[in-house]
Amino acid sequence: MKAINIIPLFVIIPLAAAFLTSLVGRLIRRSSEVIIFITSLALLGSSLYARVLLNSVPGKILVYKIGGWMPPFGICMVMDGLSSFMLVTVNLIAFFVAVYSLSYMNQYTDKPKFFTLFSLMVCGMNGVIITGDLFNLYVFLEIASIASYALVAFGTEAEELEASFKYAIMGSVASAFIFIGIAFLYSFTSTLNMADMARILAYKQNAWVIPFVGVLFLMGFGLKSALVPFHAWLPDAHPSAPASISAMLSGVLIKTLGVYALIRVFFNIIGSTHGYLTVLMFLGVISMLVAVVLALSQWDLKRLLAYHSISQIGYVVLGIGLGTPLGVLGGLFHLFNHSVFKSLLFLNSGSVDYAAGTRDLKETGGLGKLMPVTAKTNLVASMAIAGIPPFNGFFSKAIIIIACLQKGFTGYAICAVIGSILTLASFMKVQKFVFLGEIKDKLKNIKEVPFAMLFSVVCLAIICVLGGLMLLPSLRFFLDDAVSVVLKGTSYAGVVLEAASRQ
Amino acid sequence: MRQIEAFEGTHEIASGASRPRNDIYMIDNPKTGMTLIVKTITRLTVGLIMLFGIYIILHGHLSPGGGFAGGVIVALSFVHLMLAFGKDVAAARISKNMASNLESIGAMMFLFVALLGFLGGSFFLNVLNKGNPFNLFSAGTILLSNISIGIKVGVGLFAIFLALVILEKSSKKEL
């Protein structure tokens, strides 16, 4: 088989895993766990291999024609620097979350069903990232969303069902906006292929459709990525899910369905204008500040983390909205870093819940002595999210702040610093109330969590510590290729169509 | 431990294990289902509806319709049965577990048909002989795809309806 055949595997493997687990999971004990471990490892391996493969291709772009149909007539899958960057992020987190779930999900019944939904969610996210067709993107977006609605309700208690219902309603509204936007673009350009659409939009300018569709997409993808005016569902939905799913939702789902799709549509299809960038930056700064202030007053550990997700997405969107090479680099680097440390924090909150049976900050305390590994990894992640120097969060936040200053947005830079300080404050609160202080009597007998859970959190903590090394010149290609795709803007069309005719 | 319990208590209803499997007894029982008129008409039409669904699935590559539309019609024939005779009659024919397994099998079949394309070098490539246009056995893998989608959609929709009926019952019992 040719090496390019690796591209559809990102959809095939999780889809096969999903239906295989639901078929044999009930018949053979523990088979679903084996399947999920192997497939998530295979996905991680193939995403890393695909990244290496991309370096050997001229133009650093691979276009896979499904069924041998030339774009724009058939659906194509496009793997460029940005897709590859996102694929590595998603599959890295998905692998560690899957390993964590092997032990963590023991407290729930019906593990096979959980792994089916988990695989479908990964399939949807990989599909959104890899596809080169706008309607195909919508279909995969719905696969990932619907799987996540079900996963949020997985505990099936009243609170979880309510959160899931709220999430489903808001998610459906977002999907409807996106769908209407796609319909308008289709009627205007008569094509659904993203590259072809960008090509046609480039010479059919000054139409009323473009700003209208821009607003629809901004609302749709804004809801999916929970930017501040659209954030109401997230603080309910993310804490209600099982901890491993919260890690997936906060870590990668809102970034893939929200930020990545936003970048693709605004930078590569419609073309970024000054107006869009201003709106993005403004939304980013608002999210950054409002969410972190709301987070300060939370006493539920997971709810606090959920508010921080909104705030950190604000940093990502601010960086990308700057539109300068340095700003986009900072934004994308922060996207990767946030996936790592936020999934680590959510997994740790799950460990606390697993061991102590509560995640209320007022009821815990002194767990640092009983759960040393969890406490230390949580310290690493807290320092990383607050932007303390040796950890990865420092570098990305520093780049975003410098990029703001470079473009003359001193006020935004100050806001970013304030947001960071408030983040540090709220994570000091977490450390104090969960891991330091006196042990409560009823928590005296708890033990450290099982090995599979520790393995995941320790690996993620190591990535947090070493994440800054990605800025070294020999490893910079991982980020630089992604940044160059964003900055290329609508010339994406020519690149993809040329590569499709060549490969 | 936090998973749904409501579903567990209804296994025997869904699988029909603890109920008499004698359909005639259940069909002629005036206490379940709708009136005799509805039952008689249903008995006459339900086979035709299902046959029509299968026709739509098999002719998906020749005429309007296809796996999804045909699958919906097949599912509707079972829903029709359930509405007219009460849920036990239809549930005795397809249990919840069987529905869920068939659904997975349908999805796996579709993926398998798509993977067949790798024989010719590309995902989803139509590798089989295309045949003559407008013949039933033509268009290569499209017929196979339609059949697998038909299974998936038909059983999936029926399973959704079954789940709604079962859960509605159990919530009433609690009240």
Side-chain angles (χ1 to χ4, degrees), chain B residues 27 33-45 80 84-85:
Chain B
I27 285 171
M34 294 189 179
T35 62
L36 188 66
I37 301 170
V38 178
K39 281 182 180 174
T40 313
I41 298 295
T42 302
R43 214 178 305 180
L44 289 173
T45 54
H80 191 184
F85 294 111

Side-chain angles (χ1 to χ4, degrees), chain A residues 55-238:
Chain A
N55 277 342
S56 64
V57 181
K60 293 202 172 184
I61 189 161
L62 282 168
V63 179
Y64 189 85
K65 298 177 278 282
I66 293 179
W69 293 90
M70 271 301 286
F73 305 110
I75 293 173
C76 64
M77 288 177 164
V78 180
M79 166 102 92
D80 54 12
L82 182 60
S83 308
S84 172
F85 167 78
M86 289 298 299
L87 276 179
V88 172
T89 311
V90 168
N91 292 312
L92 184 76
I93 304 300
F95 171 69
F96 288 121
V97 167
V99 172
Y100 183 91
S101 308
L102 297 181
S103 286
Y104 176 78
M105 290 311 291
N106 283 336
Q107 51 182 329
Y108 292 83
T109 56
D110 216 349
K111 247 184 183 179
K113 207 169 273 173
F114 171 81
F115 284 131
T116 302
L117 290 167
F118 177 82
S119 292
L120 277 178
M121 191 163 88
V122 173
C123 165
M125 283 191 286
N126 281 345
V128 166
I129 293 166
I130 201 80
T131 186
D133 184 279
L134 197 55
F135 194 76
N136 209 225
L137 184 145
Y138 175 78
V139 171
F140 280 120
L141 184 134
E142 280 292 274
I143 292 176
S145 305
I146 290 171
S148 67
Y149 306 151
L151 282 167
V152 166
F154 201 75
T156 61
E157 277 170 15
E159 185 195 325
E160 286 145 1
L161 291 172
E162 188 196 331
S164 169
F165 188 68
K166 191 171 176 182
Y167 180 28
I169 297 287
M170 298 297 269
S172 310
V173 170
S175 300
F177 280 133
I178 296 166
F179 186 78
I180 297 169
I182 292 172
F184 271 105
L185 271 186
Y186 181 45
S187 72
F188 185 64
T189 62
S190 319
T191 178
L192 282 169
N193 187 286
M194 300 205 295
D196 200 37
M197 204 175 247
R199 184 180 64 83
I200 291 168
L201 285 176
Y203 64 78
K204 262 186 150 183
Q205 268 171 354
N206 291 330
W208 60 272
V209 172
I210 307 300
F212 183 68
V213 165
V215 172
L216 285 173
F217 280 141
L218 193 67
M219 286 194 288
F221 294 126
L223 264 166
K224 291 277 181 199
S225 58
L227 290 169
V228 146
F230 316 112
H231 71 289
W233 56 269
L234 189 142
D236 286 334
H238 286 199

Side-chain angles (χ1 to χ4, degrees), chain B residues 6-69:
Chain B
F7 232 73
E8 302 303 319
T10 51
H11 264 296
E12 61 271 287
I13 297 173
S15 62
S18 67
R19 300 278 162 149
R21 273 197 172 270
N22 189 348
D23 289 342
I24 308 232
Y25 164 76
M26 288 198 283
I27 285 171
D28 289 342
N29 184 358
K31 283 182 185 152
T32 64
M34 294 189 179
T35 62
L36 188 66
I37 301 170
V38 178
K39 281 182 180 174
T40 313
I41 298 295
T42 302
R43 214 178 305 180
L44 289 173
T45 54
V46 85
L48 292 175
I49 294 173
M50 191 160 176
L51 203 61
F52 182 61
I54 293 169
Y55 169 84
I56 295 275
I57 292 175
L58 292 183
H59 288 72
H61 55 298
L62 304 175
S63 61
F68 192 94

Side-chain angles (χ1 to χ4, degrees), chain B residues 76-145:
Chain B
L76 285 181
S77 73
F78 279 98
V79 170
H80 191 184
L81 208 61
M82 197 182 261
L83 289 176
F85 294 111
K87 64 182 156 307
D88 297 350
V89 175
R93 283 176 165 74
I94 294 188
S95 73
K96 187 174 121 306
N97 283 342
M98 190 181 161
S100 134
N101 285 344
L102 268 177
E103 197 190 348
S104 299
I105 288 169
M108 293 295 283
M109 267 173 69
F110 185 64
L111 195 62
F112 178 73
V113 172
L115 286 175
L116 270 185
F118 275 125
L119 293 177
S122 177
F123 188 45
F124 263 109
L125 190 69
N126 198 337
V127 284
L128 299 182
N129 186 12
K130 312 287 186 302
N132 293 324
F134 306 110
N135 282 1
L136 182 57
F137 294 105
S138 62
T141 56
I142 294 179
L143 181 61
L144 294 177
S145 305

